[in-house]
Amino acid sequence: MVKAYPAVFHYEENGYWVEFPDLPGCLSEGEDAAQALAQASSALGGYLCSLLDRGMELPQPGRIQSLHADGNDDFVSMVAADPLAFKQRTKAVKKTLTIPQWLNDEAEKRHINFSSVLQQALIAQIQ
């Protein structure tokens, strides 16, 4: 579920700061253009993820052609992020589950990581 929004990269003495005109309060920064772009993608993913978590619809991205950069080193770019992938990087929660004894014994004998298997299975189910 990759989403892309236009962003304005503003150059200052210590690097860039980034704003997303379509997403009030979604800001980021970086020491150089590459880091600013990476940080902007992370900020975008977190912002969109928080909207989804609150049951809100994602706003439609505006047209990049309607934006302009003011300074000599400022620029406009599309920034993409996957809010579902961002969600996958968040805090882990503990779950209790029940499985048959024989399955538990075989899995432990083979040193299978239960958390990893469950995560992989859940990801496969929701994709």
Side-chain angles (χ1 to χ4, degrees), residues 4-25:
Y5 287 82
V8 181
F9 290 71
H10 302 277
Y11 180 75
E12 291 184 346
E13 193 174 298
N14 296 328
Y16 288 90
W17 68 275
V18 185
E19 66 175 321
F20 292 87
D22 301 318
L23 307 170

Side-chain angles (χ1 to χ4, degrees), residues 58-77:
L58 300 182
Q60 289 296 316
R63 291 175 34 94
I64 193 169
Q65 295 85 349
S66 66
L67 300 177
H68 67 281
D70 294 326
N72 290 339
D73 292 322
D74 294 359
F75 64 95
V76 176
S77 179

Side-chain angles (χ1 to χ4, degrees), residues 3 5 20-21 25-27 31 35 52-53 87 102 110:
K3 297 291 182 181
Y5 287 82
F20 292 87
C26 186
L27 304 167
E31 292 180 9
Q35 185 184 43
L52 293 173
D53 283 348
K87 192 174 206 167
W102 70 266
R110 298 171 191 216

